[in-house]
């Protein structure tokens, strides 16, 4: 909402792509909804970590993320107790829009089953992925390797430092000269 009516008209008309910025804008428009979804997703991403730390119900955050159509998603759960929400989080990421994904799960007690679930939910639209799984109890990477090998990635950064139980990289071949 704008304090100056002319500004409000211009803003709403810019959002809808109207050629006449002084025209009366429509009360409802699909572009308003798209912008609201995007902003909701960005605020959800910004507040997600704090809400997890406080033990809040994450369903609203995950719903906002899933409908946001964001092209970039960068979240850090470093040291966070996320395991109880991993299935909901995996299902919530923006489905077919995200191209740049950066997730930090360092020291989150992520298990092999969590990694497999996340890997299976990576969007096919990804161009760049950075995943930090350091200091976790991971022992197997096959599920992640299988999914990443099917994506047309321009950039892939993976960190598994201090994963003391990880003993093999079997099944983790990525056939891409860019990686």
């Amino acid at each position: 909402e704008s304090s100056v009516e002319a500004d409000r008209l211009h803003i709403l008309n810019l959002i809808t792509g109207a050629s006449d910025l002084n025209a009366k804008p429509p009360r409802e428009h699909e572009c308003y909804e798209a912008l609201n979804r995007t902003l909701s997703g960005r605020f959800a991403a910004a507040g997600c970590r704090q809400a997890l730390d406080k033990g809040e119900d994450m369903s609203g955050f995950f719903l906002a993320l899933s409908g946001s159509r964001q092209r970039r998603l960068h979240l850090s759960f470093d040291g966070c107790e996320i395991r109880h929400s991993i299935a909901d989080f995996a299902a919530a990421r923006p489905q077919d829009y995200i191209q740049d994904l950066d997730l930090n799960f360092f020291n989150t007690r992520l298990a092999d089953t969590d990694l497999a679930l996340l890997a299976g939910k990576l969007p096919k639209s990804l161009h760049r992925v950075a995943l930090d799984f350091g200091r976790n109890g991971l022992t197997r990477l096959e599920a992640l390797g299988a999914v990443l090998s099917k994506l047309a990635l321009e950039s892939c950064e993976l960190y598994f430092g201090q994963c003391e139980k990880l003993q093999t990289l079997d099944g983790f071949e990525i056939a891409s000269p860019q990686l």
Side-chain angles (χ1 to χ4, degrees), residues 33-48 57-70 72-73 75 88-89 91-95 97:
E33 296 302 317
L35 180 59
N36 282 335
R37 284 191 305 270
T38 298
L39 291 174
S40 293
R42 288 186 180 169
F43 281 110
C48 192
D57 176 15
M58 298 304 296
S59 58
F61 288 87
F62 295 148
L63 182 63
L65 281 174
S66 68
S68 71
R69 297 186 180 184
Q70 293 183 78
R72 295 180 65 198
L73 182 60
L75 297 172
D88 293 333
F89 172 74
R93 67 13 189 192
Q95 297 285 332
Y97 302 97

Side-chain angles (χ1 to χ4, degrees), residues 142-157:
E142 289 93 342
L144 180 63
V147 171
L148 290 177
S149 68
K150 295 176 185 173
L151 299 176
L153 295 172
E154 296 168 8
S155 173
C156 180
E157 300 171 29

Side-chain angles (χ1 to χ4, degrees), residues 111-167:
D112 293 335
T113 54
D114 300 321
L115 180 60
L117 182 61
L118 279 171
K121 296 293 186 172
L122 288 175
K124 292 177 179 69
S125 56
L126 281 178
H127 293 236
R128 180 195 167 276
V129 63
L131 304 170
D132 184 341
F133 297 112
R135 195 183 286 169
N136 277 294
L138 300 174
T139 62
R140 306 176 62 88
L141 302 177
E142 289 93 342
L144 180 63
V147 171
L148 290 177
S149 68
K150 295 176 185 173
L151 299 176
L153 295 172
E154 296 168 8
S155 173
C156 180
E157 300 171 29
L158 302 172
Y159 179 74
F160 296 100
Q162 300 177 21
C163 287
E164 296 171 1
K165 295 180 182 178
L166 187 60
Q167 298 176 2

